[in-house]
PDB file of all heavy atoms in Angstrom:
ATOM      1  N   ARG A  17     -25.487   5.568   9.331  1.00  0.00           N
ATOM      2  CA  ARG A  17     -25.546   4.889  10.621  1.00  0.00           C
ATOM      3  C   ARG A  17     -25.810   3.389  10.431  1.00  0.00           C
ATOM      4  O   ARG A  17     -25.206   2.548  11.076  1.00  0.00           O
ATOM      5  CB  ARG A  17     -26.629   5.487  11.486  1.00  0.00           C
ATOM      6  CG  ARG A  17     -26.702   4.934  12.928  1.00  0.00           C
ATOM      7  CD  ARG A  17     -27.802   5.574  13.718  1.00  0.00           C
ATOM      8  NE  ARG A  17     -29.084   5.097  13.271  1.00  0.00           N
ATOM      9  CZ  ARG A  17     -29.694   3.962  13.766  1.00  0.00           C
ATOM     10  NH1 ARG A  17     -29.084   3.292  14.707  1.00  0.00           N
ATOM     11  NH2 ARG A  17     -30.854   3.609  13.303  1.00  0.00           N
ATOM     12  N   LYS A  18     -26.713   3.069   9.500  1.00  0.00           N
ATOM     13  CA  LYS A  18     -27.061   1.674   9.244  1.00  0.00           C
ATOM     14  C   LYS A  18     -25.847   0.888   8.729  1.00  0.00           C
ATOM     15  O   LYS A  18     -25.590  -0.235   9.156  1.00  0.00           O
ATOM     16  CB  LYS A  18     -28.213   1.600   8.233  1.00  0.00           C
ATOM     17  CG  LYS A  18     -28.675   0.202   7.932  1.00  0.00           C
ATOM     18  CD  LYS A  18     -29.744   0.168   6.862  1.00  0.00           C
ATOM     19  CE  LYS A  18     -29.165   0.417   5.479  1.00  0.00           C
ATOM     20  NZ  LYS A  18     -30.168   0.223   4.375  1.00  0.00           N
ATOM     21  N   ARG A  19     -25.118   1.516   7.851  1.00  0.00           N
ATOM     22  CA  ARG A  19     -23.957   0.817   7.252  1.00  0.00           C
ATOM     23  C   ARG A  19     -22.816   0.717   8.251  1.00  0.00           C
ATOM     24  O   ARG A  19     -22.068  -0.285   8.214  1.00  0.00           O
ATOM     25  CB  ARG A  19     -23.532   1.546   5.982  1.00  0.00           C
ATOM     26  CG  ARG A  19     -24.583   1.478   4.871  1.00  0.00           C
ATOM     27  CD  ARG A  19     -24.106   1.960   3.543  1.00  0.00           C
ATOM     28  NE  ARG A  19     -25.155   1.860   2.529  1.00  0.00           N
ATOM     29  CZ  ARG A  19     -25.462   0.744   1.884  1.00  0.00           C
ATOM     30  NH1 ARG A  19     -24.773  -0.381   2.163  1.00  0.00           N
ATOM     31  NH2 ARG A  19     -26.433   0.725   0.995  1.00  0.00           N
ATOM     32  N   ILE A  20     -22.665   1.669   9.141  1.00  0.00           N
ATOM     33  CA  ILE A  20     -21.673   1.568  10.189  1.00  0.00           C
ATOM     34  C   ILE A  20     -22.035   0.412  11.154  1.00  0.00           C
ATOM     35  O   ILE A  20     -21.155  -0.358  11.563  1.00  0.00           O
ATOM     36  CB  ILE A  20     -21.543   2.884  10.983  1.00  0.00           C
ATOM     37  CG1 ILE A  20     -20.888   3.967  10.103  1.00  0.00           C
ATOM     38  CG2 ILE A  20     -20.708   2.707  12.255  1.00  0.00           C
ATOM     39  CD1 ILE A  20     -20.898   5.333  10.722  1.00  0.00           C
ATOM     40  N   ILE A  21     -23.301   0.287  11.474  1.00  0.00           N
ATOM     41  CA  ILE A  21     -23.749  -0.804  12.348  1.00  0.00           C
ATOM     42  C   ILE A  21     -23.502  -2.150  11.696  1.00  0.00           C
ATOM     43  O   ILE A  21     -23.018  -3.096  12.338  1.00  0.00           O
ATOM     44  CB  ILE A  21     -25.250  -0.604  12.691  1.00  0.00           C
ATOM     45  CG1 ILE A  21     -25.440   0.588  13.609  1.00  0.00           C
ATOM     46  CG2 ILE A  21     -25.786  -1.881  13.374  1.00  0.00           C
ATOM     47  CD1 ILE A  21     -26.882   0.936  13.874  1.00  0.00           C
ATOM     48  N   ILE A  22     -23.812  -2.267  10.411  1.00  0.00           N
ATOM     49  CA  ILE A  22     -23.592  -3.532   9.688  1.00  0.00           C
ATOM     50  C   ILE A  22     -22.094  -3.887   9.711  1.00  0.00           C
ATOM     51  O   ILE A  22     -21.716  -5.048   9.972  1.00  0.00           O
ATOM     52  CB  ILE A  22     -24.095  -3.440   8.243  1.00  0.00           C
ATOM     53  CG1 ILE A  22     -25.616  -3.321   8.224  1.00  0.00           C
ATOM     54  CG2 ILE A  22     -23.629  -4.646   7.400  1.00  0.00           C
ATOM     55  CD1 ILE A  22     -26.199  -3.064   6.839  1.00  0.00           C
ATOM     56  N   SER A  23     -21.248  -2.909   9.495  1.00  0.00           N
ATOM     57  CA  SER A  23     -19.791  -3.160   9.495  1.00  0.00           C
ATOM     58  C   SER A  23     -19.339  -3.547  10.891  1.00  0.00           C
ATOM     59  O   SER A  23     -18.530  -4.449  11.061  1.00  0.00           O
ATOM     60  CB  SER A  23     -19.046  -1.895   9.048  1.00  0.00           C
ATOM     61  OG  SER A  23     -19.418  -1.535   7.717  1.00  0.00           O
ATOM     62  N   GLY A  24     -19.899  -2.886  11.901  1.00  0.00           N
ATOM     63  CA  GLY A  24     -19.521  -3.205  13.294  1.00  0.00           C
ATOM     64  C   GLY A  24     -19.959  -4.605  13.685  1.00  0.00           C
ATOM     65  O   GLY A  24     -19.188  -5.326  14.344  1.00  0.00           O
ATOM     66  N   VAL A  25     -21.179  -5.009  13.268  1.00  0.00           N
ATOM     67  CA  VAL A  25     -21.641  -6.366  13.562  1.00  0.00           C
ATOM     68  C   VAL A  25     -20.763  -7.380  12.847  1.00  0.00           C
ATOM     69  O   VAL A  25     -20.405  -8.439  13.414  1.00  0.00           O
ATOM     70  CB  VAL A  25     -23.117  -6.519  13.161  1.00  0.00           C
ATOM     71  CG1 VAL A  25     -23.559  -7.972  13.255  1.00  0.00           C
ATOM     72  CG2 VAL A  25     -23.995  -5.647  14.060  1.00  0.00           C
ATOM     73  N   GLY A  26     -20.421  -7.072  11.607  1.00  0.00           N
ATOM     74  CA  GLY A  26     -19.519  -7.973  10.849  1.00  0.00           C
ATOM     75  C   GLY A  26     -18.181  -8.137  11.517  1.00  0.00           C
ATOM     76  O   GLY A  26     -17.663  -9.271  11.620  1.00  0.00           O
ATOM     77  N   PHE A  27     -17.627  -7.033  11.994  1.00  0.00           N
ATOM     78  CA  PHE A  27     -16.353  -7.097  12.703  1.00  0.00           C
ATOM     79  C   PHE A  27     -16.476  -7.977  13.965  1.00  0.00           C
ATOM     80  O   PHE A  27     -15.591  -8.788  14.257  1.00  0.00           O
ATOM     81  CB  PHE A  27     -15.871  -5.709  13.088  1.00  0.00           C
ATOM     82  CG  PHE A  27     -14.612  -5.695  13.907  1.00  0.00           C
ATOM     83  CD1 PHE A  27     -13.375  -5.764  13.285  1.00  0.00           C
ATOM     84  CD2 PHE A  27     -14.660  -5.590  15.274  1.00  0.00           C
ATOM     85  CE1 PHE A  27     -12.199  -5.753  14.022  1.00  0.00           C
ATOM     86  CE2 PHE A  27     -13.508  -5.608  16.043  1.00  0.00           C
ATOM     87  CZ  PHE A  27     -12.274  -5.651  15.411  1.00  0.00           C
ATOM     88  N   LEU A  28     -17.570  -7.834  14.688  1.00  0.00           N
ATOM     89  CA  LEU A  28     -17.793  -8.592  15.914  1.00  0.00           C
ATOM     90  C   LEU A  28     -17.900 -10.082  15.592  1.00  0.00           C
ATOM     91  O   LEU A  28     -17.299 -10.937  16.302  1.00  0.00           O
ATOM     92  CB  LEU A  28     -19.058  -8.114  16.632  1.00  0.00           C
ATOM     93  CG  LEU A  28     -19.384  -8.816  17.970  1.00  0.00           C
ATOM     94  CD1 LEU A  28     -18.254  -8.618  18.972  1.00  0.00           C
ATOM     95  CD2 LEU A  28     -20.691  -8.271  18.520  1.00  0.00           C
ATOM     96  N   VAL A  29     -18.605 -10.429  14.547  1.00  0.00           N
ATOM     97  CA  VAL A  29     -18.736 -11.824  14.158  1.00  0.00           C
ATOM     98  C   VAL A  29     -17.387 -12.405  13.768  1.00  0.00           C
ATOM     99  O   VAL A  29     -17.016 -13.506  14.221  1.00  0.00           O
ATOM    100  CB  VAL A  29     -19.713 -11.976  12.966  1.00  0.00           C
ATOM    101  CG1 VAL A  29     -19.682 -13.400  12.393  1.00  0.00           C
ATOM    102  CG2 VAL A  29     -21.143 -11.617  13.416  1.00  0.00           C
ATOM    103  N   PHE A  30     -16.610 -11.664  12.969  1.00  0.00           N
ATOM    104  CA  PHE A  30     -15.265 -12.150  12.564  1.00  0.00           C
ATOM    105  C   PHE A  30     -14.342 -12.215  13.771  1.00  0.00           C
ATOM    106  O   PHE A  30     -13.463 -13.086  13.822  1.00  0.00           O
ATOM    107  CB  PHE A  30     -14.697 -11.232  11.488  1.00  0.00           C
ATOM    108  CG  PHE A  30     -15.374 -11.386  10.151  1.00  0.00           C
ATOM    109  CD1 PHE A  30     -15.819 -10.246   9.468  1.00  0.00           C
ATOM    110  CD2 PHE A  30     -15.548 -12.604   9.565  1.00  0.00           C
ATOM    111  CE1 PHE A  30     -16.452 -10.397   8.223  1.00  0.00           C
ATOM    112  CE2 PHE A  30     -16.164 -12.771   8.328  1.00  0.00           C
ATOM    113  CZ  PHE A  30     -16.616 -11.637   7.664  1.00  0.00           C
ATOM    114  N   PHE A  31     -14.516 -11.296  14.723  1.00  0.00           N
ATOM    115  CA  PHE A  31     -13.709 -11.324  15.935  1.00  0.00           C
ATOM    116  C   PHE A  31     -13.964 -12.616  16.720  1.00  0.00           C
ATOM    117  O   PHE A  31     -13.013 -13.267  17.167  1.00  0.00           O
ATOM    118  CB  PHE A  31     -14.039 -10.093  16.803  1.00  0.00           C
ATOM    119  CG  PHE A  31     -13.240 -10.047  18.070  1.00  0.00           C
ATOM    120  CD1 PHE A  31     -11.984  -9.475  18.139  1.00  0.00           C
ATOM    121  CD2 PHE A  31     -13.784 -10.601  19.243  1.00  0.00           C
ATOM    122  CE1 PHE A  31     -11.251  -9.433  19.320  1.00  0.00           C
ATOM    123  CE2 PHE A  31     -13.067 -10.565  20.440  1.00  0.00           C
ATOM    124  CZ  PHE A  31     -11.821  -9.972  20.470  1.00  0.00           C
ATOM    125  N   LEU A  32     -15.223 -12.964  16.866  1.00  0.00           N
ATOM    126  CA  LEU A  32     -15.584 -14.175  17.614  1.00  0.00           C
ATOM    127  C   LEU A  32     -15.068 -15.423  16.879  1.00  0.00           C
ATOM    128  O   LEU A  32     -14.574 -16.374  17.510  1.00  0.00           O
ATOM    129  CB  LEU A  32     -17.080 -14.261  17.810  1.00  0.00           C
ATOM    130  CG  LEU A  32     -17.684 -13.157  18.713  1.00  0.00           C
ATOM    131  CD1 LEU A  32     -19.180 -13.255  18.737  1.00  0.00           C
ATOM    132  CD2 LEU A  32     -17.128 -13.239  20.127  1.00  0.00           C
ATOM    133  N   LEU A  33     -15.178 -15.456  15.553  1.00  0.00           N
ATOM    134  CA  LEU A  33     -14.669 -16.552  14.780  1.00  0.00           C
ATOM    135  C   LEU A  33     -13.157 -16.694  14.920  1.00  0.00           C
ATOM    136  O   LEU A  33     -12.616 -17.792  15.064  1.00  0.00           O
ATOM    137  CB  LEU A  33     -15.067 -16.409  13.299  1.00  0.00           C
ATOM    138  CG  LEU A  33     -16.540 -16.617  12.939  1.00  0.00           C
ATOM    139  CD1 LEU A  33     -16.800 -16.305  11.497  1.00  0.00           C
ATOM    140  CD2 LEU A  33     -16.962 -18.072  13.253  1.00  0.00           C
ATOM    141  N   SER A  34     -12.485 -15.529  14.859  1.00  0.00           N
ATOM    142  CA  SER A  34     -11.017 -15.512  14.986  1.00  0.00           C
ATOM    143  C   SER A  34     -10.617 -15.977  16.378  1.00  0.00           C
ATOM    144  O   SER A  34      -9.596 -16.699  16.544  1.00  0.00           O
ATOM    145  CB  SER A  34     -10.459 -14.119  14.750  1.00  0.00           C
ATOM    146  OG  SER A  34     -10.779 -13.674  13.444  1.00  0.00           O
ATOM    147  N   PHE A  35     -11.401 -15.625  17.377  1.00  0.00           N
ATOM    148  CA  PHE A  35     -11.067 -16.006  18.756  1.00  0.00           C
ATOM    149  C   PHE A  35     -11.130 -17.540  18.929  1.00  0.00           C
ATOM    150  O   PHE A  35     -10.414 -18.103  19.750  1.00  0.00           O
ATOM    151  CB  PHE A  35     -12.051 -15.351  19.725  1.00  0.00           C
ATOM    152  CG  PHE A  35     -11.551 -15.321  21.142  1.00  0.00           C
ATOM    153  CD1 PHE A  35     -10.628 -14.382  21.552  1.00  0.00           C
ATOM    154  CD2 PHE A  35     -12.015 -16.249  22.044  1.00  0.00           C
ATOM    155  CE1 PHE A  35     -10.178 -14.343  22.855  1.00  0.00           C
ATOM    156  CE2 PHE A  35     -11.550 -16.221  23.354  1.00  0.00           C
ATOM    157  CZ  PHE A  35     -10.627 -15.292  23.778  1.00  0.00           C
TER     158      PHE A  35
END
Side-chain angles (χ1 to χ4, degrees):
R17 186 181 73 88
K18 182 184 75 173
R19 295 190 179 279
I20 290 174
I21 291 174
I22 292 172
S23 300
V25 171
F27 176 83
L28 182 60
V29 170
F30 288 129
F31 179 87
L32 294 175
L33 288 174
S34 300
F35 198 80

